[in-house]
Amino acid sequence: MITRYTRAGLLALAALLPLHASGQPDGAPVVLTPVESVAIEERVEAVGESRAERSVTLFTHAAGRVETVNIEADEHVSAGDLLLALESESERNAVASAQVELADARKLLDRYERTIGSGAVPPTTIDSARREAELARLDLERARIDLADRELRAPFDGHTGLTDIEPGARVDENTAVTTIDDRSSLRVRFRLAERYFGDLRRGDQVEMRPWSNLRQPVAGVIRRVDSRINTDTGTFALEAEAPNPDDRLRPGMRFRVAVTLPGPQHSGIPATALQWGDDGAYVWLIREGRAERTGVNLVARDGDRVLVDGPLEPGDKVVSEGAQRMRPGLEVRRIDAADLDNYPPVNAVSAADPR
């Protein structure tokens, strides 16, 4: 019968092979791994509601009958574009009249000022003419403002919403005409429990996924953190910016917001280094070339690694292979884990084999 030794068996067999000149074993062969300081990451999720980077509902500045409507739903407009115009014949006439009055006032003032020094016109009359010219200028400015109020223009670049206004309809200052949204980016507001306050700051990254398509993550950046805790809910608000360069996101969308927060630090060691005894978990710590049994508490498993708490420091060496033969004070000899993979198969013949 042929027996092939396992990796652990090779370690045990290797302990019997190397000898000093005196014939004594040159320490138990072990693979050592340094202890790492590892933080358990905590993933926190919340539901966020979005709004446009800038968003307004537009109202007219004056009451009147609608003459022109240049609003199409979800149409991009630029700042200053005309969206709606009211009938403005009266206001145009007022502007024209104010222009005439201003021109007459300035002509009269100019005539009076040319007589200064001759004494033909009293100074009080000249001052009165200056006052009348200034009042005429102010009347013209007021007329121009009234005329401008008959038009509704886009306050910034964005996309218009729906409107129910048609030419011929009568509107006033309380009539909502349409909305306009700058959705080059969205602001997503969400809330977290009070115990996370201080863990997130402006500039931190968050992962956001719209509920309409959870398979498309959006990389967000926290822009605002509230300054107080809501006493009713025990939560605080945060606002993250979601870039929208391809214009696939819409204001009002709900997002699943995920935040990864660093947890407390623990000692990370290979899973093979963790041993169990009657008094719980322990590891073999190597100090000055000799084995030292050290009790630990298991915190979590992470694949081939475990996180433990105990009297371990980053950089300490623990036995990750060959721990089965350890005992307190045993002298060890460190070998490279790669060397074990290079051992040829070891065949042994059973005593019961008739050969």
Side-chain angles (χ1 to χ4, degrees):
M1 181 179 67
I2 304 299
T3 301
R4 293 186 181 274
Y5 283 92
T6 64
R7 185 181 177 101
L10 288 173
L11 279 170
L13 182 62
L16 303 176
L17 299 179
L19 300 175
H20 280 302
S22 60
Q24 297 300 320
D26 189 19
V30 294
V31 174
L32 301 181
T33 302
V35 175
E36 300 177 339
S37 180
V38 181
I40 296 181
E41 293 184 338
E42 183 178 4
R43 185 179 176 87
V44 182
E45 293 189 351
V47 176
E49 297 181 352
S50 66
R51 62 187 182 94
E53 179 65 25
R54 290 183 293 177
S55 179
V56 293
T57 300
L58 300 178
F59 298 83
T60 59
H61 300 288
R65 192 177 303 276
V66 177
E67 184 176 74
T68 305
V69 178
N70 297 325
I71 302 173
E72 293 293 337
D74 201 26
E75 180 182 51
H76 184 269
V77 295
S78 300
D81 285 353
L82 178 65
L83 303 179
L84 179 143
L86 303 178
E87 293 178 348
S88 57
E89 184 176 356
S90 175
E91 286 73 20
R92 293 181 190 278
N93 290 336
V95 170
S97 177
Q99 288 173 333
V100 171
E101 294 291 337
L102 177 59
D104 289 345
R106 284 178 173 173
K107 286 180 182 178
L108 181 60
L109 176 61
D110 182 61
R111 187 182 310 124
Y112 286 169
E113 286 181 338
R114 287 200 299 267
T115 67
I116 294 176
S118 66
V121 178
T124 56
T125 302
I126 297 175
D127 291 341
S128 179
R130 286 173 177 164
R131 177 176 177 276
E132 292 300 324
E134 180 63 17
L135 290 176
R137 186 191 68 81
L138 293 176
D139 286 342
L140 177 58
E141 289 298 319
R142 187 179 302 110
R144 286 173 173 169
I145 291 173
D146 291 341
L147 179 59
D149 285 348
R150 310 301 286 178
E151 296 179 342
L152 180 62
R153 296 182 177 273
F156 50 78
D157 295 355
H159 289 78
T160 53
L162 292 169
T163 185
D164 295 326
I165 306 300
E166 298 289 347
R170 185 170 182 80
V171 298
D172 58 28
E173 298 89 335
N174 298 317
T175 304
V177 176
T178 188
T179 59
I180 183 169
D181 296 322
D182 172 10
R183 59 189 193 223
S184 57
S185 63
L186 300 186
R187 297 181 181 183
V188 180
R189 186 166 295 183
F190 59 99
R191 307 190 71 87
L192 293 180
E194 176 182 352
R195 68 189 184 94
Y196 299 114
F197 191 83
D199 292 338
L200 290 170
R201 295 175 176 81
R202 293 180 59 184
D204 287 348
Q205 300 286 328
V206 296
E207 180 187 276
M208 297 184 289
R209 295 175 184 267
W211 286 104
S212 59
N213 190 350
L214 293 175
R215 291 173 295 180
Q216 292 190 358
V218 178
V221 179
I222 293 178
R223 295 302 185 198
R224 297 175 180 84
V225 180
D226 200 358
S227 60
R228 61 175 61 184
I229 306 297
N230 185 301
T231 55
D232 295 329
T233 62
T235 61
F236 66 100
L238 304 95
E239 192 172 86
E241 178 183 356
N244 191 26
D246 54 2
D247 197 36
R248 65 183 177 88
L249 304 176
R250 292 293 182 269
M253 280 185 169
R254 293 164 66 86
F255 287 78
R256 185 172 71 184
V257 183
V259 181
T260 301
L261 301 175
Q265 297 286 327
H266 301 283
S267 298
I269 61 174
T272 54
L274 186 66
Q275 306 295 310
W276 292 90
D278 294 339
D279 54 352
Y282 64 92
V283 297
W284 288 104
L285 189 64
I286 303 303
R287 288 198 172 99
E288 298 181 357
R290 296 186 178 275
E292 180 179 309
R293 177 169 167 158
T294 304
V296 295
N297 294 317
L298 176 63
V299 176
R301 293 185 180 272
D302 181 18
D304 295 334
R305 181 177 62 179
V306 294
L307 304 183
V308 299
D309 282 339
L312 303 177
E313 297 293 336
D316 284 348
K317 302 296 190 301
V318 295
V319 177
S320 55
E321 297 199 42
Q324 295 81 0
R325 301 185 62 255
M326 291 296 97
R327 64 178 185 273
L330 179 66
E331 184 179 357
V332 300
R333 175 171 55 86
R334 180 176 184 173
I335 62 174
D336 193 333
D339 293 341
L340 297 178
D341 297 327
N342 296 328
Y343 273 112
V346 180
N347 297 333
V349 179
S350 171
D353 194 322
R355 294 177 298 174

